């Protein structure tokens, strides 16, 4: 019954599904357990029965994130979050190349593991089975390749914009333009940044003011539930069904819509704060957020889209932090020059 709901096997007969069930091995994983590592030999693929799996890629660590001499030059970047019914590691079915990414369980997870040799013996045993299995596999791989192409194009366009050295407000406008282009029709996005003078988050750009909720046409307080969530978790807040979501206490502050809400934190790379005990700790202050919503449609944002938006938020955080630093340097230089010329 479960296998029939998996896209890869959805067209197979009950007899074929029973044969597949007989060749699976159940794998149980706890939080952050490694399913396989990037670079390891691949001889099987996996189907998620329960839980979630993070697909990560080892990438060079940004200079601002390094913690000092001897720090690791690599970090794991999450490129996908897969859920019940999803399958992964399918490239091992086609070649014997090392794994191109790592897979780790996000929490308690149950997987079905199928060996490559066993799978191909099953497929080769019946031409009809082969057609009914390979076509969905090719379709899934095509969808993932198309998503990767979209991500590369979007990140490339944003990287050129961020390298231009524009002011924060102009950068925010470009971010909303880029995001609006990839959101489903009927959605809007906006960017708010922290203002240290009035100690509130102010909207810097909005993609569609005609559908922007009246309740959001104000500055956002740091004490609001959504802002506290982003500050503490430093991870995206996704409500597939905003009407039914119970995580935010003061929902009335964000509009009466019934659709999808995705709030992405913009976080400063690192700051240093001294505790009352005199000990210094590293902090990662919230400098703003990217707010995306489809007011009328639940589950409007796919998981790949949410991950792409998360990548945009990460890039935007660095660019906006650098822009703020440049503006502060310019202000200090101008102040110093004015002081010299006033005497």
């Amino acid at each position: 019954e479960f296998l029939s709901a998996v896209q890869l096997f959805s067209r197979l007969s009950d007899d074929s599904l029973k044969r597949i069930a007989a060749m699976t091995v159940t794998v149980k994983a706890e939080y952050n357990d490694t399913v396989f590592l990037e670079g390891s030999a691949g001889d099987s693929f996996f189907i998620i029965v329960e839980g979630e799996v993070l697909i990560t890629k080892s990438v060079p660590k940004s200079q601002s994130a390094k913690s000092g001499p001897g720090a690791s030059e690599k970090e794991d970047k999450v490129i996908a979050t897969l859920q019940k019914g999803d399958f992964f590691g399918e490239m091992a079915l086609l070649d014997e190349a090392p794994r191109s990414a790592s897979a780790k369980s996000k929490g308690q997870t149950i997987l079905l593991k199928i060996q490559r040799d066993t799978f191909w013996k099953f497929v080769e045993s019946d031409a009809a089975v082969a057609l009914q299995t390979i076509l969905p596999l090719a379709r899934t791989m095509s969808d993932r390749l198309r998503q990767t192409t979209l991500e590369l194009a979007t990140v490339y366009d944003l990287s050129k914009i961020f390298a231009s050295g524009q002011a924060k407000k102009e950068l925010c406008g470009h971010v909303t333009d880029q995001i609006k282009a990839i959101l489903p029709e009927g959605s809007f996005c906006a960017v708010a940044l922290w203002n240290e003078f009035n100690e509130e988050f102010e909207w810097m750009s909005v993609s569609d003011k005609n559908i922007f909720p009246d309740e959001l046409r104000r500055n956002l307080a740091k004490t609001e539930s959504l802002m506290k969530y982003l500050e503490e978790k430093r991870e995206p807040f996704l409500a597939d069904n905003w009407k039914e979501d119970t995580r935010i206490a003061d929902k009335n502050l964000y509009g009466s819509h019934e659709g999808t809400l995705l709030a992405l934190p913009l976080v400063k790379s690192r700051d240093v704060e001294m505790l009352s005990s005199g000990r210094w700790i590293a902090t990662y202050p919230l400098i703003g957020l990217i707010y995306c919503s489809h007011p009328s449609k639940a589950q409007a944002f796919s998981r790949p889209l949410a991950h792409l938006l998360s990548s945009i938020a990460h890039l935007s955080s660095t660019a906006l932090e650098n822009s703020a630093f440049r503006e502060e340097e310019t202000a200090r230089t101008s102040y110093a020059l004015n002081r010299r010329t006033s005497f």
Side-chain angles (χ1 to χ4, degrees):
E1 184 178 351
F2 168 76
L3 289 174
S4 67
V6 176
Q7 182 183 11
L8 184 59
F9 305 130
S10 60
R11 301 173 64 183
L12 298 182
S13 66
D14 288 346
D15 287 341
S16 295
L17 291 173
K18 289 177 182 178
R19 291 175 60 191
I20 293 173
M23 69 177 71
T24 63
V25 175
T26 301
V27 177
K28 295 184 179 180
E30 299 298 324
Y31 172 75
N32 209 33
D33 280 352
T34 299
V35 181
F36 55 72
L37 286 173
E38 180 179 352
S40 62
D43 61 357
S44 57
F45 77 107
F46 298 82
I47 305 167
I48 303 174
V49 180
E50 294 291 346
E52 293 182 312
V53 170
L54 301 178
I55 306 299
T56 65
K57 181 75 176 174
S58 180
V59 298
K61 182 176 288 189
S62 61
Q63 187 68 34
S64 59
K66 297 177 184 177
S67 57
S72 172
E73 298 295 324
K74 295 283 187 177
E75 62 182 344
D76 289 336
K77 174 178 172 53
V78 176
I79 58 176
T81 300
L82 304 180
Q83 300 176 318
K84 180 178 179 178
D86 290 334
F87 59 89
F88 61 97
E90 72 280 357
M91 291 300 294
L93 298 176
L94 305 180
D95 57 40
E96 298 181 7
R99 300 284 192 187
S100 59
S102 297
K104 294 184 178 182
S105 56
K106 190 176 181 181
Q108 290 189 335
T109 306
I110 300 176
L111 308 170
L112 296 181
K113 178 180 179 180
I114 301 179
Q115 294 292 130
R116 175 176 58 225
D117 294 344
T118 305
F119 176 78
W120 279 113
K121 286 179 182 178
F122 164 73
V123 170
E124 291 169 355
S125 66
D126 188 318
V129 167
L131 184 63
Q132 292 167 351
T133 306
I134 299 305
L135 283 179
L137 177 63
R139 188 177 298 113
T140 298
M141 296 177 69
S142 176
D143 290 342
R144 291 177 178 176
L145 180 59
R146 188 178 297 109
Q147 179 65 26
T148 300
T149 302
L150 174 62
E151 291 179 6
L152 288 173
T154 303
V155 169
Y156 176 73
D157 289 342
L158 279 173
S159 296
K160 289 196 300 182
I161 294 169
F162 291 157
S164 63
Q166 298 182 42
K168 289 185 295 183
K169 189 170 182 62
E170 284 70 24
L171 288 179
C172 290
H174 288 301
V175 169
T176 54
D177 289 342
Q178 289 289 324
I179 293 178
K180 175 60 180 174
I182 60 176
L183 287 179
E185 186 177 354
S187 307
F188 73 87
C189 61
V191 179
L193 295 182
W194 175 251
N195 186 325
E196 61 182 358
F197 298 105
N198 61 15
E199 297 189 334
E200 291 178 320
F201 293 93
E202 296 182 348
W203 297 109
M204 305 295 287
S205 60
V206 178
S207 65
D208 294 271
K209 294 183 179 180
N210 57 322
I211 58 174
F212 193 61
D214 291 337
E215 294 88 342
L216 279 175
R217 299 175 187 269
R218 58 180 176 80
N219 292 344
L220 307 179
K222 194 174 185 179
T223 55
E224 295 177 20
S225 298
L226 180 60
M227 309 312 297
K228 290 171 68 175
Y229 178 97
L230 297 177
E231 179 83 67
E232 294 170 3
K233 302 286 188 179
R234 298 201 305 273
E235 66 181 24
F237 174 88
L238 174 61
D240 282 322
N241 189 332
W242 176 242
K243 182 181 180 180
E244 303 296 332
D245 199 284
T246 59
R247 289 173 292 170
I248 299 300
D250 45 12
K251 291 174 64 174
N252 59 304
L253 296 177
Y254 306 102
S256 57
H257 59 79
E258 303 178 355
T260 309
L261 186 152
L262 174 62
L264 302 135
L266 299 172
V267 183
K268 193 173 183 180
S269 58
R270 190 168 68 170
D271 216 339
V272 178
E273 181 179 307
M274 188 175 71
L275 301 176
S276 56
S277 62
R279 186 168 64 91
W280 293 88
I281 62 168
T283 61
Y284 301 84
L286 185 69
I287 61 174
L289 80 154
I290 298 175
Y291 190 101
C292 304
S293 175
H294 194 301
S296 59
K297 182 179 179 181
Q299 298 182 334
F301 304 151
S302 66
R303 289 298 181 273
L305 175 60
H307 271 285
L308 175 54
L309 294 171
S310 184
S311 296
I312 291 174
H314 180 74
L315 287 172
S316 301
S317 296
T318 303
L320 290 166
E321 185 179 359
N322 291 337
S323 179
F325 178 77
R326 288 193 302 269
E327 291 179 11
E328 290 173 5
E329 284 292 298
T330 300
R332 278 195 289 267
T333 301
S334 177
Y335 176 74
L337 180 61
N338 290 335
R339 279 182 60 85
R340 286 199 298 270
T341 56
S342 63
F343 288 100

